[in-house]
Amino acid sequence: MGGQEMERIDLGEVPYLDAVEAMRGWVEQRRAGVIGDRLVLLTHPPVITYGTRTPPDELPRADSPVPLVEVDRGGQATYHGPGQLVGYLVLNLRERGPGDIVRRVENALIDAVGSLGFEAVRRDTPPRAQSLVGVWTPRHDKLASIGMRIRGGVTSHGFALNIASDLDEFTRFTACGLPHVAMTSLAEMAAERGVGAPGEAEVREAVAAAFGARHRAD
């Protein structure tokens, strides 16, 4: 992703609010130059997150068993849970130079999915339409969601790639502000082709490689 060095950090399942608090610290450290650019790979227990501009009628009902958390990233409501790989990107864009960071993230994820044997595409958003940012199948099922924040030249939040997610959870609200879009996963795409689905470890390796992220050598 641009050739610049990026540190890879692997975590397991981290509660969403704990991860957000840690991310705030990473952003401040990056802004101060204490750490370099990093990609943090992790998973979350079930949670639905949404931005400040998400209309209330796009959120789940009040009796939803899945916790609902308002966040400070771009994008609309989405679901995180087991079977999904989340990547948080803490990047100093002033050092990385000009360019559309969201486009770079889309292309890196497409490369990662392609290296696993699955075709994926990005889509341009028509004027005045709901954002189509993310990674899609050729038939326009959504495989990965992207929602980022840039403040002081440093990014936070990132992407969520469905590996073997419970896709029914996305039907309990309006995912990504797109009521007629079906979410999919690598497991579902593999099943349709009659091939084995990649495991989380394999997907982590593919994603890290596509972003050019490596474990720091101590």
Side-chain angles (χ1 to χ4, degrees):
M1 195 170 115
Q4 290 98 333
E5 184 177 342
M6 189 184 305
E7 181 184 2
R8 171 182 173 180
I9 296 177
D10 282 277
L11 303 177
E13 184 179 85
V14 180
Y16 184 79
L17 291 176
D18 291 352
V20 169
E21 184 61 30
M23 183 167 51
R24 291 192 183 105
W26 302 331
V27 168
E28 290 305 316
Q29 290 176 310
R30 184 67 190 97
R31 192 172 289 127
V34 176
I35 63 172
D37 288 347
R38 58 174 49 176
L39 168 66
V40 182
L41 299 173
L42 68 160
T43 64
H44 291 310
V47 62
I48 294 171
T49 66
Y50 66 99
T52 56
R53 296 182 180 180
T54 302
D57 61 1
E58 293 186 0
L59 299 176
R61 291 173 25 170
D63 60 356
S64 170
V66 179
L68 189 63
V69 178
E70 184 176 330
V71 295
D72 60 358
R73 57 156 174 79
Q76 301 295 337
T78 195
Y79 168 79
H80 300 305
Q84 182 187 77
L85 180 64
V86 173
Y88 289 135
L89 288 155
V90 181
L91 311 175
N92 188 323
L93 297 184
R94 292 172 178 166
E95 295 181 5
R96 287 188 167 258
D100 185 339
I101 183 60
V102 173
R103 176 75 62 88
R104 294 181 189 178
V105 173
E106 288 175 324
N107 288 335
L109 290 173
I110 289 168
D111 289 344
V113 170
S115 74
L116 295 167
F118 299 91
E119 185 179 2
V121 301
R122 63 171 303 279
R123 299 173 67 188
D124 291 321
T125 302
R128 297 180 295 280
Q130 178 61 42
S131 173
L132 298 179
V133 163
V135 175
W136 305 77
T137 68
R139 71 183 185 195
H140 292 175
D141 293 340
K142 195 169 188 181
L143 178 63
S145 300
I146 298 171
M148 302 183 71
R149 174 174 174 159
I150 303 171
R151 186 174 182 183
V154 176
T155 68
S156 58
H157 298 280
F159 61 84
L161 173 62
N162 297 326
I163 303 173
S165 307
D166 181 355
L167 300 176
D168 285 343
E169 293 294 343
F170 290 97
T171 67
R172 305 181 192 279
F173 63 99
T174 303
C176 307
L178 300 166
H180 304 298
V181 167
M183 303 295 292
T184 192
S185 66
L186 292 175
E188 185 172 77
M189 293 169 69
E192 290 176 355
R193 290 169 45 189
V195 299
E200 182 184 316
E202 186 179 1
V203 176
R204 283 183 180 234
E205 292 299 325
V207 168
F211 279 89
R214 300 174 179 83
H215 292 298
R216 186 174 61 187
D218 294 322

